[in-house]
Amino acid sequence: MTDVNANYLKLQGSYLFSTIAKKVAAYKAAHPQEQVISLGIGDVSQPLVPAVVEALHRACDEMAHPETFRGYGPEQGYVFLREAVLKGDYLSRGIALEADEIFISDGAKSDVANFQELFSIDSRIALQDPVYPVYLDTNVMAGRTGQMQNGRFERLIYLPCVEENNFVPQLPAEHADIIYLCSPNNPTGTALTKTDLQKWVDYAREHHSLILYDSAYEAFITQADVPHSIYEIPGAKEVAVEFRSFSKTAGFTGTRCAYTVVPKAVHVKGPNGKSISLHALWLRRQTTKFNGVPYIVQRAAEAVYSAQGRVQTQQVIRIYQQNARIILDALHQAGLTAFGGQNAPYVWLKTPKGVDSWSFFDTLLTEAQIVGTPGVGFGSCGEGYFRLTAFNTPDLTAQAAQRVAHLQI
Ligand SMILES: *Cc1c(COP(=O)(O)O)cnc(C)c1O
């Protein structure tokens, strides 16, 4: 038999969402008359906006005629979309980048997962705890961690994000080569301010580290001191790669489009200390392993930046922001402590004293027929917390909030 990549055997089973599904199914079977509402989903509920759908239709029609039909496109994305992103998300905020520093892709999940393969197997990785599981699991698969010992992988640098530090990761005592930062954060719903992020950029410059910055929830930012891009921070352009997605911004979770910014100024060290352009490496990687995003999808993404597209997508974001406020208010009414929700579609609540994440899950399901996500499922520092999402419809979110507000805990 063929030998397996033994790193895969180090992965911890992701029982989180399957355990939740099983518990919910059992509860529904025993209580068929109850209406269970999910505030656990990380997927959007609102459809694509009209400007995007119109662009999709137009592009489909182009595909039907020989003069306008498109086959393989550039692996890094069509220039029209790279320029739309550049103008819409960067130049408009005073950030100078070039269109060819923006790589269009079919998802931030795959980009963030694939990016680690550009680095040495010996690189030391730092990541937030709790965290979006993709950063951790892909580094385990690659063999950058040791075994799991007492709930932690050897060789990884965990950055606890808890109430005591306002969910802001503190600089590590050890040297980190690669630092994953997710802001606004999934799952905690909190965001780094410019001051917080400047410390990390300074650290990365001093230690010759690289920051992999996931800002999938950028569109939800409301606070003025929370940066929309890491490149708003002086000095970031030499030490940071930024991942963005149309998934949460414009409801593209099923349509699939995202982008990654790799400034040409970012360098990594080759054998014998030679400096190598990360941009050139990522370009080589993408042209070898990826064949681009469908033309029709790139036209749809371009429409997000049109005058109408902007207004319409912002209206949808406001629906989710309003949902988040309703959830926060209801939790406060119930006497619970909650964080996030202001710059992200996630609310991170603290479970009552002595109640762990999973017990709280059971209570919320049986007492209020609401499904959420136990914080411990995102890392051991998530124990004692619980995630609710603002992605359900306004109607069901309002119903869920009423139940939460009257919870007796
Ligand atoms: C949803 C999400 C993404 C987006 O992934 P896509 O593959 O673009 O849908 C990226 N990062 C985080 C932290 C997310 O929660």
Side-chain angles (χ1 to χ4, degrees):
M1 280 195 291
T2 309
D3 286 334
V4 71
N5 173 353
N7 294 317
Y8 273 67
L9 308 182
K10 295 180 195 162
L11 290 166
Q12 303 301 296
S14 180
Y15 304 119
L16 179 63
F17 289 100
S18 62
T19 308
I20 290 173
K22 268 186 221 147
K23 279 177 178 266
V24 173
Y27 181 82
K28 281 183 177 167
H31 305 86
Q33 75 291 356
E34 304 271 26
Q35 198 210 358
V36 175
I37 301 177
S38 177
L39 298 183
I41 46 168
D43 197 359
V44 297
S45 59
Q46 301 301 303
L48 296 174
V49 300
V52 166
V53 174
E54 284 155 26
L56 266 175
H57 280 297
R58 274 196 307 274
C60 279
D61 288 339
E62 285 182 59
M63 294 297 277
H65 301 285
E67 318 81 67
T68 47
F69 167 78
R70 313 277 181 132
Y72 289 125
E75 291 91 344
Q76 323 86 283
Y78 284 102
V79 171
F80 66 78
L81 181 54
R82 300 174 100 181
E83 302 231 303
V85 169
L86 177 70
K87 284 198 199 106
D89 288 337
Y90 294 100
L91 299 184
S92 59
R93 292 192 182 278
I95 299 164
L97 287 169
E98 287 164 26
D100 66 354
E101 294 178 310
I102 295 160
F103 293 79
I104 309 298
S105 78
D106 62 356
K109 182 182 185 171
S110 38
D111 281 357
V112 106
N114 294 332
F115 216 85
Q116 51 74 31
E117 72 181 56
L118 303 186
F119 309 114
S120 156
I121 206 70
D122 300 321
S123 304
R124 292 295 305 274
I125 308 291
L127 37 80
Q128 290 163 283
D129 177 9
V131 78
Y132 181 59
V134 178
Y135 320 137
L136 171 67
D137 287 351
T138 53
N139 277 289
V140 174
M141 289 170 175
R144 247 176 234 105
T145 66
Q147 298 293 338
M148 169 68 87
Q149 295 279 0
N150 307 320
R152 298 241 143 157
F153 278 103
E154 296 164 334
R155 284 186 49 75
L156 271 191
I157 301 168
Y158 289 88
L159 309 168
C161 296
V162 289
E163 184 184 9
E164 289 69 26
N165 59 22
N166 287 317
F167 307 96
V168 175
Q170 306 299 295
L171 300 175
E174 317 149 75
H175 169 83
D177 295 300
I178 315 270
I179 301 144
Y180 288 88
L181 293 177
C182 178
S183 175
N185 191 265
N186 177 10
T188 69
T190 57
L192 301 179
T193 63
K194 287 179 186 163
T195 315
D196 297 329
L197 199 49
Q198 183 74 61
K199 290 188 189 137
W200 280 100
V201 169
D202 293 345
Y203 173 95
R205 294 181 70 87
E206 197 182 316
H207 291 253
H208 304 286
S209 321
L210 184 73
I211 297 174
L212 300 180
Y213 193 71
D214 183 344
S215 60
Y217 297 98
E218 170 276 332
F220 293 83
I221 293 170
T222 61
Q223 256 171 269
D225 61 346
V226 172
H228 288 253
S229 164
I230 193 167
Y231 306 117
E232 288 176 46
I233 309 300
K237 225 193 267 178
E238 289 80 29
V239 294
V241 169
E242 178 159 286
F243 302 92
R244 292 255 193 116
S245 173
F246 294 94
S247 285
K248 318 300 171 14
T249 306
F252 273 54
T253 50
T255 307
R256 313 302 306 143
C257 197
Y259 65 83
T260 291
V261 182
V262 189
K264 290 175 195 150
V266 183
H267 287 83
V268 284
K269 191 166 82 215
N272 53 50
K274 210 174 123 226
S275 157
I276 294 170
S277 154
L278 194 62
H279 181 275
L281 288 182
W282 184 242
L283 181 63
R284 188 71 174 84
R285 192 267 172 212
Q286 289 299 80
T287 50
T288 301
K289 296 196 180 183
F290 182 59
N291 245 341
V293 177
Y295 172 73
I296 58 173
V297 171
Q298 294 193 57
R299 281 295 183 199
E302 180 192 28
V304 171
Y305 298 97
S306 68
Q308 282 195 322
R310 275 181 180 285
V311 172
Q312 292 167 358
T313 49
Q314 271 161 19
Q315 279 167 350
V316 175
I317 297 286
R318 271 198 287 276
I319 291 174
Y320 298 133
Q321 286 171 329
Q322 178 66 14
N323 283 349
R325 263 193 298 275
I326 288 170
I327 294 168
L328 271 174
D329 287 347
L331 290 169
H332 291 148
Q333 253 181 282
L336 289 159
T337 307
F339 310 92
Q342 208 187 339
N343 299 297
Y346 298 115
V347 172
W348 190 241
L349 71 93
K350 204 171 174 193
T351 57
K353 220 179 168 57
V355 180
D356 68 22
S357 294
W358 275 110
S359 308
F360 189 82
F361 175 92
D362 293 332
T363 305
L364 201 61
L365 180 59
T366 54
E367 303 297 317
Q369 294 75 50
I370 292 169
V371 179
T373 314
V376 70
F378 299 99
S380 53
C381 289
E383 180 57 278
Y385 296 92
F386 197 83
R387 191 189 76 171
L388 295 176
T389 86
F391 280 132
N392 212 323
T393 61
D395 183 36
L396 287 174
T397 304
Q399 285 185 45
Q402 278 216 332
R403 297 183 195 170
V404 167
H406 297 107
L407 258 184
Q408 302 290 330
I409 312 177

